[in-house]
Amino acid sequence: MILTPTMTGITSPDPLQHAFKVKSAPHAGRSGSRPVLLQPPQWQQWWQQPSQATERALYIHIPFCRKRCTFCNFFENGTNTQRINRYMQRLTEQLKIAADTELAQSRPFNTVYVGGGTPTDISSDEIKRLGEAISRFPLIDNAEVTLEGRLNGFDDDKWHNATENGFNRFSFGVQSFDTQVRQAAGRFDDKEYLLTRLNQLSQHPSASIVIDLIFGLPGQTMEIWQQDLQAVIDSGVHGIDLYQLIGLSGTRIDHAREKGKVLGTALSEYQADSQARANMYATGANHFESLNWQRLSSCHWRRDSRERSVYNSLAKSGIEILPFGAGAGGCIHGHGCMNGRDLKQWHLTHDEADAAGTLTAPVQVPGMLMSPNPAAKLDAIFKRGLDSGRLDLNLLAKDMTLHLMPLFKAWQTNGLAKLETSSLTLTLAGRFWNVNMQTGLFEFLSENPFVASQDPAAQSIAS
């Protein structure tokens, strides 16, 4: 039985800081699929086949930003009114066409997520038309419909058109409330404006207002981080995501690091290392939980039940997600897919299909298409369980649990988890390192192939 430190972490007096060297990646996964080629006629046929999924989502991508933040490595297109208008016209056309297909109408959708980019950069009228297009799809009662974006430029007219046309959850990237840290990160607006605007929006009787904070930004000391955490409470928002700054390549922070510099602020040239970020995470988790905020995942907490985080939860469970727009990703009939990001190609493909009279489904843009993952069901159990902080062992076949027991016991020894009769519960340190642990689990299964029993959940990982 092969066990390595990348799977188990290491024994340390302080597992929160030292179980692993650094967070391995933003998300965990394994390659259980292979690339496949799907021709346009086959793509059209897919949309005329009913869904077999029990839970579904729509993901709609708006790939425009007015400014590239220093920590971002996926900036795609600068905001331009004419380009956005053309894109939104095409996008809403495709949504209306897709809504009438057998695939869309065969089962209702649990949630919709409009992401980007910066979706709130579109106009008020475009928000209205987007909401109207979404309403053509069959949605469950009280389906969660999220609009992502930033507070800057999200005026009252946009807000009213959004809430009046089906959007009931709003996710704003605040990242930090501190004005100087925000300026160094390339963000708009100061702390006072953010608090005022969030307080206004949070007064809505039913809409959920959620914000993101990043810990580990240049100039963000522990003292500033603690002020950020208190500002969340003062803002009145209903949910919070705490994300660790990851050293992704291609960002302005990464370029500065290569030159031996830090993107500093007027405060200092300080940037938290992995150990400091671990302490920031613990401070944030303890802050919200001491105030009785409920933890929904390792990085998400809510003030009350209006915040449900449905899309984020289900997306980690391998559900069917119909993707729309250049750069959108999802899963159709078990196939993982990602549309090409090139806007010119996206428009060209749309126009060609329209001219040929074959625009009877969203266009297939050259991107990525993967075969179904034979272990998708089991992977979803692992991802959802570890992300939530508790893996229910009753969901696994007994021999699968026995197969993984050496890894689980190593996690317990290293202070990352507590092993009980029917569950594996992550410690605070485990929650901080949960992506590394997921990556380690998939590495363990790769290095230690499992021979499946007759249990369906076990069979899905047979190799």
Side-chain angles (χ1 to χ4, degrees), residues 62-95:
I62 313 293
F64 300 94
C65 291
R66 275 180 289 154
K67 193 174 185 179
R68 179 171 184 166
C69 300
T70 60
F71 52 82
C72 177
N73 76 333
F74 47 85
F75 180 89
E76 297 176 57
N77 306 285
T79 295
N80 174 284
T81 301
Q82 185 175 358
R83 294 173 76 194
I84 292 179
N85 290 347
R86 183 186 179 205
Y87 180 83
M88 291 305 297
Q89 180 181 349
R90 293 286 190 270
L91 181 62
T92 51
E93 286 175 3
Q94 292 193 25
L95 286 168

Side-chain angles (χ1 to χ4, degrees), residues 66 120-121 150-155 158 188-189 193-194:
R66 275 180 289 154
T120 52
D121 276 356
R150 70 172 99 227
L151 289 163
N152 184 272
F154 190 62
D155 57 27
K158 290 184 180 182
F188 298 104
D189 300 320
Y193 173 79
L194 296 176

Side-chain angles (χ1 to χ4, degrees), residues 175-394:
Q175 320 314 359
S176 174
F177 282 92
D178 187 88
T179 300
Q180 291 177 317
V181 171
R182 290 177 56 78
Q183 289 173 346
R187 306 295 292 177
F188 298 104
D189 300 320
D190 59 19
K191 181 175 182 177
E192 182 179 358
Y193 173 79
L194 296 176
L195 287 173
T196 299
R197 187 59 173 155
L198 288 171
N199 266 293
Q200 291 172 344
L201 301 184
S202 297
Q203 299 305 310
H204 191 277
S206 60
S208 178
I209 308 299
V210 183
I211 61 174
D212 299 341
L213 291 184
I214 295 177
F215 53 95
L217 290 168
Q220 188 185 44
T221 63
M222 177 61 84
E223 180 181 0
I224 289 173
W225 177 241
Q226 290 172 325
Q227 293 169 0
D228 278 342
L229 298 174
Q230 183 56 46
V232 175
I233 306 301
D234 296 339
S235 71
V237 299
H238 310 108
I240 176 69
D241 282 292
L242 303 183
Y243 293 125
Q244 179 182 180
L245 180 70
I246 305 296
L248 301 174
S249 62
T251 67
R252 287 176 56 198
I253 291 176
D254 178 58
H255 294 325
R257 186 184 300 112
E258 290 177 351
K259 296 178 181 179
K261 300 178 180 179
V262 173
L263 284 175
T265 70
L267 297 172
S268 70
E269 291 287 320
Y270 174 79
Q271 185 169 353
D273 59 16
S274 181
Q275 288 72 42
R277 293 197 298 272
N279 285 335
M280 292 171 118
Y281 172 81
T283 299
N286 292 332
H287 177 77
F288 293 112
E289 288 165 29
S290 70
L291 295 172
N292 295 318
W293 283 46
Q294 182 184 4
R295 177 172 53 84
L296 297 183
S297 76
S298 293
C299 65
H300 187 77
W301 290 261
R302 67 178 181 181
R303 182 194 297 266
D304 57 46
S305 59
R306 79 162 63 186
E307 164 52 12
R308 296 174 290 161
S309 193
V310 177
Y311 181 88
N312 291 332
S313 175
L314 292 182
K316 295 166 185 172
S317 303
I319 66 165
E320 182 168 79
I321 302 175
L322 306 192
F324 298 93
C331 180
I332 301 180
H333 295 309
H335 291 73
C337 52
M338 178 75 73
N339 288 338
R341 296 182 179 275
D342 186 274
L343 273 183
K344 290 183 179 179
Q345 182 62 48
W346 187 80
H347 282 294
L348 177 63
T349 305
H350 177 104
D351 292 343
E352 289 177 345
D354 194 18
T358 59
L359 193 61
T360 57
V363 297
Q364 181 198 4
V365 186
M368 178 180 68
L369 186 69
M370 305 298 291
S371 65
N373 176 8
K377 180 180 177 182
L378 193 59
D379 287 3
I381 293 173
F382 290 137
K383 288 182 178 181
R384 195 169 188 174
L386 293 177
D387 185 69
S388 72
R390 182 182 180 275
L391 178 61
D392 185 351
L393 301 183
N394 292 322

